[in-house]
Amino acid sequence: MPSFDTVCEANMVDVKHAVENTAKEIGTRFDFKGTPAAVELKDKEIILVGDADFQLTQIEDILRNKLTKRNVDVRFLDKGDVQKMGGDKVKQVIKVRDGIETELGKKIQRHIKDSKLKVQAAIQDGKLRVSGAKRDDLQSAMALIRKEIAEMPLSFDNFRD
């Protein structure tokens, strides 16, 4: 039975390189000299450190530019709240999305059922497996998912015939 997986996974190698390039640029820019401005990647979290909210937005802007140059969709980033650290420092944690949340998976399933396509969707370990009898139905399901779920950078892999 033909099937495909709908996934939401960022290329972590490119994310790591973008964070490293952002750290290099922060080290060389004049407006960041003598400040605690920094960026680092831990697991699937990017931690921004700066003097004030304004500096965090500058660092985030540099990071977004570096990610875009590496063809990493910025919709993978899930910004957290700005937190106060000791002294006059602030930090912000940005999570890199990995996998489809249950809520989004259910929303996609609902759209597929409402479309009356002859396919089935099942949530499995952060992926959504869509299977059906015909390839054309699967391609219609892909088009439907792309159209309905524009806020997430979804991709399709593991297409089986």
Side-chain angles (χ1 to χ4, degrees):
M1 195 160 174
S3 66
F4 67 87
D5 290 339
T6 305
V7 295
C8 179
E9 294 175 348
N11 186 347
M12 289 307 291
V13 174
D14 284 338
V15 171
K16 179 182 173 205
H17 289 301
V19 169
E20 289 170 355
N21 289 342
T22 302
K24 274 186 197 173
E25 186 169 331
I26 289 171
T28 59
R29 278 185 42 171
F30 178 74
D31 54 343
F32 290 122
K33 292 275 189 222
T35 63
V39 61
E40 67 176 305
L41 178 69
K42 286 186 180 175
D43 295 328
K44 295 201 183 286
E45 292 182 340
I46 302 169
I47 300 168
L48 310 178
V49 178
D51 276 340
D53 293 347
F54 176 71
Q55 199 171 52
L56 288 181
T57 56
Q58 285 182 317
I59 296 170
E60 184 186 345
D61 188 42
I62 296 168
L63 178 66
R64 285 179 182 269
N65 288 336
K66 300 295 182 189
L67 287 169
T68 304
K69 284 182 182 176
R70 295 199 156 269
N71 294 325
V72 176
D73 198 329
V74 293
R75 293 180 293 175
F76 282 114
L77 303 180
D78 187 18
K79 288 176 34 173
D81 294 332
V82 176
Q83 304 163 353
K84 295 261 187 222
M85 292 174 67
D88 58 349
K89 289 186 189 177
V90 290
K91 84 172 187 178
Q92 183 175 26
V93 177
I94 300 175
K95 292 182 181 168
V96 180
R97 289 190 177 127
D98 187 35
I100 296 176
E101 294 101 22
T102 310
E103 205 173 291
L104 180 64
K106 287 181 181 178
K107 182 178 175 185
I108 295 170
Q109 276 183 321
R110 202 171 327 110
H111 282 300
I112 289 174
K113 278 188 179 179
D114 293 345
S115 71
K116 305 289 188 212
L117 288 173
K118 295 182 179 170
V119 294
Q120 296 82 37
I123 302 170
Q124 301 172 345
D125 294 334
K127 296 181 181 182
L128 185 80
R129 169 131 328 145
V130 180
S131 56
K134 297 179 183 173
R135 288 179 76 183
D136 293 342
D137 291 339
L138 293 179
Q139 289 172 341
S140 299
M142 281 183 185
L144 175 77
I145 292 170
R146 277 194 191 104
K147 184 180 134 213
E148 296 293 331
I149 313 296
E151 70 270 6
M152 289 292 290
L154 298 174
S155 60
F156 308 102
D157 67 352
N158 207 12
F159 193 93
R160 300 187 185 227
D161 220 358

